[in-house]
Amino acid sequence: MSDESEPASGAKPDESSKNKKRLTTGVAVGIGSAAIVAALLYANRSKKTDKDGSR
């Protein structure tokens, strides 16, 4: 019978925890970067229309 404290893949618990933390950090950085880009595009949107004179 297998020990419940070890993951099924055979990896050590510390390695699994580190991999999960890295994945979570990577996802958070990606979402944060996308939010910053979206905010910059939104902020610069009004400046582009002012140069055209259409507003």
Side-chain angles (χ1 to χ4, degrees), residues 12-35:
K12 294 180 182 176
D14 293 338
E15 292 176 9
S16 177
S17 174
K18 286 181 183 180
N19 288 339
K20 190 172 183 180
K21 187 177 277 190
R22 284 184 182 172
L23 177 64
T24 304
T25 303
V27 169
V29 168
I31 292 172
S33 298

Side-chain angles (χ1 to χ4, degrees), residues 9 11 32 36-37 48 55:
S9 64
I36 290 170
V37 168
K48 288 182 181 180
R55 272 193 148 181

